[in-house]
Amino acid sequence: MFGLPNTARVYICAVIASAGALVASLFSGGSFAAMDWRTLVALAVLFVVCDSLPARLNVEGARISLGFAVSLASVVLLGPAGAALVGGGAMATGQRSVGPVKRMFNGAQFALSGFAAGTVFGLLGGGGFEPGQVGWVGQVIVPFLAALVTFVVANLGLTAGVLLLGGQAAAHELARASGPVAAGCVGYGMFGLLIAGLWGRLGLLVAVLVLLPLLVARWALEQAYAQQRAHDATLAALCQAVETKDPFTRGHCGRVSRAAVMVARQLGMRPERVETLRYTGMLHDVGKLGVPTRILTKDGPLSDEEYAAVQLHPMRGLEIVREIGFLDEALAGIMHHHERMDGRGYPLGLAGDEIPEFARVIGVADAFDVMTSTRPYRKARPVGEAVRELRRCSGTQFDPVMVEAFLRALDLHGWEAEAGRREVAGSAERAGM
């Protein structure tokens, strides 16, 4: 809280105050008088247990509360007032890393989201049917889905407000991550319909029946996340090996990977292809492990024999990583990222659309970072000069579509310049050696 801007602090206080005022008005208005308090207490306890075991997603820093299912069940069983009280139980979460202010904010946002979802559920006629009756699911499925969407939008919207005002994430980053996070929230929220449907017949026993698949789903997500981190660690180790052999390329693989992802998102690639292209950028130069160090670090022009050795690195890279199963399309990008649109590249002299799409992306990203980085044979060039060189070589060396996509991304996001960069001359003809 203390490290946040004043606007973010005011926002957090406003959300907490709004939730407090809502609960107070519900109490004074008698909304809780006829409520089944045994059900309320049972759902509140179940919510706290589920909220204490968040599920991790393959989105950096993103976790989903398993309490989404219980909140949606309370919408059906207790209405908007009960859903607000159950959601407020987030303040008692067992997550040790959550501080007091964040606990209060989480409780407030769950309370507000639950009330909004309960209101939508009631307005669409969902509260007019008794849970567990024959045909009940068919009667309430539309109101429930509307309530679920309302809950997810409200919850993520309130969270996004903190991240944006606090400067912890940019709007485009939130937009990119919102899809997977919203899908996870909706998936867990659907369990709420199961809890509500079985509650009348099984009572608290439904908690055991529902918690089991929820915990299995959580375990599966944790395993997927761990596998993703293991993939990244493997690739990072290979990048480190390349950069240890050639210290002038330190950070190059990571920058090319980020630039390639920038292009991919401009082109609207599917998330799984964006991730594979990120791997391609990380590994595009792994074949330099097979190039003699004296050639990589040579201060001056290469002889024909030395340049021929360099030209073998894409094929050597393919040999090194071809057995890594999750790379898929990345292999073609590694093999062909030095091909040229005019057919004068290597190793196979492919031209135009013969060059795989990933290779055409990496070719632009690689050349730009090489031009703006210091190498043994020359110093770094300024970004503006590198941009002009990309445009000059567009259509001959580089795919014009990829060049324009990269330049649009560059205008939007800028470029993390290498430390100590100076203005020098050079040529894209050797860029990406």
Side-chain angles (χ1 to χ4, degrees), residues 120-254:
V120 169
F121 185 75
L123 289 175
L124 294 180
F129 306 98
E130 187 67 26
Q133 291 180 338
V134 176
W136 171 76
V137 173
Q139 295 168 326
V140 303
I141 187 64
V142 172
F144 180 83
L145 289 175
L148 174 57
V149 171
T150 300
F151 189 96
V152 171
V153 170
N155 188 276
L156 296 185
L158 290 170
T159 302
V162 174
L163 298 177
L164 288 173
L165 293 175
Q168 298 172 327
H172 68 274
E173 294 173 333
L174 291 177
R176 189 165 61 241
S178 62
V181 174
C185 295
V186 170
Y188 281 114
M190 287 301 297
F191 279 98
L193 190 61
L194 177 61
I195 295 174
L198 297 176
W199 192 267
R201 298 180 182 180
L202 300 178
L204 282 174
L205 183 59
V206 73
V208 178
L209 296 177
V210 174
L211 270 178
L212 184 59
L214 281 176
L215 291 176
V216 169
R218 176 182 181 274
W219 175 85
L221 285 172
E222 289 286 345
Q223 296 305 302
Y225 182 82
Q227 184 181 52
Q228 182 73 41
R229 300 287 74 78
H231 289 172
D232 287 349
T234 299
L235 303 189
L238 287 171
C239 291
Q240 183 63 41
V242 175
E243 294 177 358
T244 299
K245 182 169 185 176
D246 182 4
F248 283 94
T249 64
R250 184 164 291 120
H252 172 66
C253 294

Side-chain angles (χ1 to χ4, degrees), residues 53-407:
L53 300 168
R56 196 192 305 267
L57 294 178
N58 278 337
V59 176
E60 189 66 32
R63 289 173 176 263
I64 290 182
S65 170
L66 302 189
F68 267 86
V70 184
S71 291
L72 269 298
S74 66
V75 164
V76 177
L77 296 172
L78 300 172
L85 279 185
V86 169
M91 290 187 291
T93 181
Q95 299 182 54
R96 297 180 180 178
S97 61
V98 179
V101 175
K102 189 174 181 180
R103 285 172 183 265
M104 294 178 65
F105 179 81
N106 287 346
Q109 69 168 350
F110 268 105
L112 293 172
S113 301
F115 183 81
T119 301
V120 169
F121 185 75
L123 289 175
L124 294 180
F129 306 98
E130 187 67 26
Q133 291 180 338
V134 176
W136 171 76
V137 173
Q139 295 168 326
V140 303
I141 187 64
V142 172
F144 180 83
L145 289 175
L148 174 57
V149 171
T150 300
F151 189 96
V152 171
V153 170
N155 188 276
L156 296 185
L158 290 170
T159 302
V162 174
L163 298 177
L164 288 173
L165 293 175
Q168 298 172 327
H172 68 274
E173 294 173 333
L174 291 177
R176 189 165 61 241
S178 62
V181 174
C185 295
V186 170
Y188 281 114
M190 287 301 297
F191 279 98
L193 190 61
L194 177 61
I195 295 174
L198 297 176
W199 192 267
R201 298 180 182 180
L202 300 178
L204 282 174
L205 183 59
V206 73
V208 178
L209 296 177
V210 174
L211 270 178
L212 184 59
L214 281 176
L215 291 176
V216 169
R218 176 182 181 274
W219 175 85
L221 285 172
E222 289 286 345
Q223 296 305 302
Y225 182 82
Q227 184 181 52
Q228 182 73 41
R229 300 287 74 78
H231 289 172
D232 287 349
T234 299
L235 303 189
L238 287 171
C239 291
Q240 183 63 41
V242 175
E243 294 177 358
T244 299
K245 182 169 185 176
D246 182 4
F248 283 94
T249 64
R250 184 164 291 120
H252 172 66
C253 294
R255 292 192 298 271
V256 171
S257 181
R258 289 193 296 274
V261 168
M262 289 164 60
V263 174
R265 287 173 177 155
Q266 282 293 315
L267 295 174
M269 288 188 185
R270 300 188 308 273
E272 60 271 19
R273 293 193 75 216
V274 174
E275 188 67 6
T276 304
L277 186 54
R278 183 172 73 86
Y279 292 150
T280 311
M282 293 176 68
L283 293 176
H284 75 285
D285 271 348
V286 70
K288 288 185 177 179
L289 290 173
V291 179
T293 305
R294 62 176 178 78
I295 296 178
L296 296 176
T297 58
K298 184 176 180 180
D299 186 7
L302 301 180
S303 66
D304 290 344
E305 182 181 354
E306 290 169 334
Y307 193 59
V310 169
Q311 288 182 313
L312 291 176
H313 84 268
M315 291 181 286
R316 294 188 187 279
L318 181 64
E319 292 171 0
I320 292 171
V321 301
R322 71 189 314 160
E323 298 303 323
I324 301 179
F326 62 84
L327 291 178
D328 299 324
E329 197 174 356
L331 299 177
I334 294 169
M335 174 71 170
H336 297 291
H337 70 278
H338 280 297
E339 304 286 1
R340 292 172 47 117
M341 295 297 288
D342 59 10
R344 295 170 56 198
Y346 62 88
L348 299 183
L350 302 182
D353 290 340
E354 295 176 341
I355 306 170
E357 185 179 27
F358 275 22
R360 284 178 274 146
V361 174
I362 297 298
V364 172
D366 182 35
F368 184 81
D369 185 66
V370 169
M371 286 190 287
T372 55
S373 301
T374 298
R375 290 299 171 97
Y377 49 87
R378 59 151 179 79
K379 295 179 180 179
R381 304 175 70 176
V383 169
E385 190 174 331
V387 167
R388 290 191 293 273
E389 189 70 9
L390 285 182
R391 290 192 184 280
R392 186 181 72 82
C393 297
S394 178
T396 54
Q397 184 171 349
F398 308 118
D399 184 339
V401 174
M402 304 308 171
V403 170
E404 290 306 315
F406 176 69
L407 296 183

